[in-house]
Amino acid sequence: MGCSSTGGKRAEDARKAAAAGGRAAVDTPRWTFGMVTHSGDGDTFWDIVQNGAKQAAVKDNIKFLYAHDDEAQQQAQLVDSYIDKKVDGIIVTLAKPDAMKGALARAEKAGIPVITVNSGSAESKEFGALTHIGQDETIAGEAVGDELNKRGKKKALCILHEQGNVGHEQRCEGAKKTFEGKMENLYVTGTNMPDVQSSIEARLQTDKSVDAVVTLGAPFADAAVKAKEGAGSKAEIDTFDLNEKVAAGLKSGSLGFAVDQQPYLQGYEAVDLLWLYKYNADVLGGGKPVLTGPQIITKDQAAELEEYAKRGTR
Amino acid sequence: MTATAPAPAPSPGTKSDERLLKTSPLKKLLGRPELGSVVGAVAVFVFFAIVADSFVQATSLATVLYAASTIGIMAVPVALLMIGGEFDLSAGVMVTTSALVSSMFSYQMTANVWVGVLVSLLVTLAVGVFNGVMLTRTDPPSFIITLGTFLMLTGMNLGFTKLISGTVSTKSIADMEGFSSAKSVFASTITVGGVDFKITIVWWLALIAVATWILLRTRVGNWIFAVGGGEDAARAVGVPVAATKIGLYMGVAFGAWVSGQHLLFSYDVVQSGEGVGNELIYIIAAVIGGCLITGGYGSAVGAAVGALIFGMVSKGIVFAEWNPDWFKFFLGVMLLLATLLNHWVRKRAEATK
């Protein structure tokens, strides 16, 4: 009586029981690794990266610290703080590479190994990092352009939700390069969801010929779907990155495809590779970035991934 | 000689002139607007020294001072403006504007970077004059006027950068003539006893000294207190109200220029979308430092201490290894406590007069 046989906390607990728990699998010293990202507050993508990093930290007997700031100057100061703390390894994103150059040089001077993740594949080596783990944004964009061609699209919108993010610009440029139709950029305020939705809606209302909308982050795909309904448009909504809702949308057919860069892997590998470097002086990648994407996900893989997305690892 | 609180009314029966009332040095100290924030700063420092061992190393303190100086360079002129009874909500993005103008002018004209730096000074001061003139010539309060400027600058930062550079960030000017000398002025590092201190700390201290001298030792300082305390009364006794306010806005613009050049020469590339939201941090720093939102009361030293508290809290949380999800919450709690303490100390000080 009054119980739900589907979903809710009970289903979540069952998922938790099936997820990897664990304790340290090695007896190396308890090193401390600090991670500093350019994420704003409350970003689902970075939760998944952190989940991967924490899982690896448990296995490798690592104390894992995390800090983030979306202002370049603040991000550099956070890296400085970890250097002051004399951590044993630093993981950092280079969304605004020039601002981080000095901080990485200071880490090198202090003898702290650095691994860059997610953004900055072009600068990582030059700034003295061991390895870069992530997706090449241009290649990922090109994959989107190819997929849109395959689906016979003629006019697409690329929705940029973070003005000033070089990686986002590269994604849209990559897609433009391979897409045979016409592609236009639309800038929206990512921190304000209603604004995202109304901007896309206005654009779809004024231009009925748009048949594909590409969002650059999973939370924005949902807003784009709502905007499409509001505008009565026929456009297919596609997105970069994955979350629970996107997986469900792929399954139900409200979304066309998603391009995943496997954020869990970025966090997990960063911690693990730092551990390998500290333990065995191993460096992966042979001086080239280690790519975690792009992986095109369609209806076929959605059901399996939805389960993992709910668990916060995809 | 302070021009802050009105002189206490003479108690009945006093023969001496109350304007020549002698106050003891201790009472003078207790009456300073920044006293509360100094007590707050000491409390925050002691707190983090206890919870985070790495907080009290020289290198960590240099990082904290740097964080404080990047806020403080703006908090000092913003405090002066607030003593004059006005706000500037465009102060945050003005920093980015100043850096963008400097960088793009040098790059596009292929000029010595010092040319860009000076052009940027003129443009930034012009924005300050615009704010001041709009305020003194029209009716709306400064909150509304500068909100308009804030939005316009935010759009112009992005629009012009895209238009001129083709991307959202400027191109590097690190290989241009004059870069290294400009870098040494705005973004160099001074090593004292093996610890690296950023030059912004020097700029910050210099600004505190100049602002304090203006406030307490010059006629202009009296004008600032007067226009903030009561505009009509000030006008009635012949204070040039409009000129004072325009000057205060130019002061904020000068601070924005220094901060902007620091950003540019630290990173040699500027992101066009940054700086939004920082204007509130400058105001918070000034308020923690004892400035009243209503104007007519406050000090430059207080604003600097407010910036120091902000720097200590924001970096202390990292040194203490607290969960970053709660970062903003802790920041809010600390700032509230500092402000309350400040208020309490001031009340006590006034009660003993």
Side-chain angles (χ1 to χ4, degrees), chain A residues 41 63 65-67 70-74 76-78 80-82 84-86 96 98-99 106 109 163-165 169 187, chain B residues 54 57 59-60 63 66-67 70 158 162 168 196 198 262-263 267-269 271 274-276 278 315 318-319 321 324 328:
Chain A
D41 285 334
K63 185 173 175 190
L65 304 174
Y66 179 79
D70 49 9
E71 290 247 335
Q73 192 179 30
Q74 297 294 327
Q77 285 178 10
L78 288 169
D80 283 344
S81 305
Y82 281 151
D84 296 337
K85 275 186 77 71
K86 300 189 178 64
K96 291 146 185 174
D98 303 280
R106 282 187 288 276
K109 209 172 112 188
Q163 289 183 322
N165 186 322
E169 301 273 332
Y187 288 92
Chain B
S54 48
Q57 301 164 3
T59 49
S60 306
T63 304
Y66 171 55
T70 51
L158 198 65
K162 271 291 259 211
V168 287
D196 293 347
K198 291 269 187 343
H262 168 67
L263 275 187
Y267 308 137
D268 46 85
V269 166
Q271 305 284 340
E274 295 202 334
V276 177
N278 288 352
K315 296 298 164 284
V318 179
F319 288 119
E321 298 179 15
K328 290 259 162 62

Side-chain angles (χ1 to χ4, degrees), chain B residues 79-86 223-225 227-229 231 245 248 295-296:
Chain B
L80 256 55
L81 179 69
M82 283 173 69
I83 295 168
E86 301 297 346
W223 291 348
I224 294 172
F225 280 113
V227 298
E231 200 174 313
K245 289 197 170 174
L248 286 171

Side-chain angles (χ1 to χ4, degrees), chain B residues 66 69 73 182-190 196-206 258 262 266:
Chain B
Y66 171 55
S69 69
I73 287 174
K183 189 179 171 104
S184 61
V185 172
F186 292 108
S188 59
T189 310
I190 302 160
D196 293 347
F197 290 96
K198 291 269 187 343
I199 196 153
T200 47
I201 301 170
V202 177
W203 276 99
W204 182 38
L205 294 172
V258 175
H262 168 67
S266 296

Side-chain angles (χ1 to χ4, degrees), chain B residues 105-116 173 176-178:
Chain B
F105 190 88
S106 302
Y107 186 90
Q108 296 301 332
M109 302 289 157
T110 325
N112 184 306
V113 300
W114 280 103
V115 179
I173 57 164
M176 293 178 66
E177 244 170 71

Side-chain angles (χ1 to χ4, degrees), chain B:
Chain B
M1 152 83 215
T2 61
T4 54
S11 50
T14 42
K15 294 236 174 15
S16 66
D17 185 343
E18 85 278 356
R19 284 168 306 182
L20 298 173
L21 199 67
K22 282 274 180 291
T23 46
S24 70
L26 179 72
K27 271 215 175 125
K28 253 190 190 158
L29 177 75
L30 283 173
R32 299 291 317 143
E34 62 272 9
L35 179 72
S37 63
V38 171
V39 175
V42 172
V44 169
F45 180 84
V46 170
F47 175 77
F48 279 115
I50 292 168
V51 296
D53 321 331
S54 48
F55 184 75
V56 284
Q57 301 164 3
T59 49
S60 306
L61 293 177
T63 304
V64 166
L65 276 178
Y66 171 55
S69 69
T70 51
I71 297 165
I73 287 174
M74 288 303 288
V76 169
V78 164
L80 256 55
L81 179 69
M82 283 173 69
I83 295 168
E86 301 297 346
F87 283 109
D88 188 352
L89 295 182
S90 65
V93 284
M94 207 191 292
V95 172
T96 313
T97 304
S98 151
L100 289 170
V101 168
S102 179
S103 161
M104 289 197 289
F105 190 88
S106 302
Y107 186 90
Q108 296 301 332
M109 302 289 157
T110 325
N112 184 306
V113 300
W114 280 103
V115 179
V117 168
L118 292 177
V119 169
S120 162
L121 176 63
L122 294 177
V123 171
T124 319
L125 287 177
V127 174
V129 171
F130 172 81
N131 275 336
V133 169
M134 285 296 285
L135 176 78
T136 49
R137 291 288 168 86
T138 60
D139 234 1
S142 58
F143 191 90
I144 306 294
I145 302 257
T146 57
L147 193 60
T149 316
F150 156 73
L151 291 171
M152 289 192 300
L153 286 181
T154 310
M156 275 160 55
N157 284 352
L158 198 65
F160 275 121
T161 311
K162 271 291 259 211
L163 190 73
I164 294 169
S165 303
T167 63
V168 287
S169 60
T170 62
K171 302 199 165 52
S172 173
I173 57 164
D175 52 357
M176 293 178 66
E177 244 170 71
F179 185 86
S180 57
S181 61
K183 189 179 171 104
S184 61
V185 172
F186 292 108
S188 59
T189 310
I190 302 160
T191 310
V192 183
V195 182
D196 293 347
F197 290 96
K198 291 269 187 343
I199 196 153
T200 47
I201 301 170
V202 177
W203 276 99
W204 182 38
L205 294 172
L207 277 170
I208 299 167
V210 171
T212 306
W213 175 75
I214 289 175
L215 272 181
L216 301 182
R217 290 274 177 272
T218 67
R219 206 164 53 150
V220 175
N222 289 344
W223 291 348
I224 294 172
F225 280 113
V227 298
E231 200 174 313
D232 297 336
R235 195 173 282 116
V237 295
V239 172
V241 173
T244 305
K245 289 197 170 174
I246 293 170
L248 286 171
Y249 275 107
M250 287 171 75
V252 173
F254 179 81
W257 173 72
V258 175
S259 304
Q261 302 317 297
H262 168 67
L263 275 187
L264 171 62
F265 292 108
S266 296
Y267 308 137
D268 46 85
V269 166
V270 190
Q271 305 284 340
S272 56
E274 295 202 334
V276 177
N278 288 352
E279 63 281 346
L280 291 176
I281 293 175
Y282 309 144
I283 291 172
I284 290 168
V287 169
I288 293 177
C291 288
L292 289 183
I293 288 278
T294 47
Y297 186 84
S299 79
V301 175
V305 177
L308 181 65
I309 290 181
F310 207 94
M312 283 196 291
V313 174
S314 67
K315 296 298 164 284
I317 288 172
V318 179
F319 288 119
E321 298 179 15
W322 293 349
N323 181 339
D325 295 349
W326 295 90
F327 176 85
K328 290 259 162 62
F329 173 79
F330 286 130
L331 206 57
V333 169
M334 287 276 181
L335 298 182
L336 211 53
L337 284 176
T339 320
L340 288 173
L341 179 74
N342 189 340
H343 194 77
W344 181 79
V345 170
R346 191 166 60 224
K347 277 270 175 288
R348 297 286 304 213
E350 280 168 5
T352 57
K353 267 185 187 159

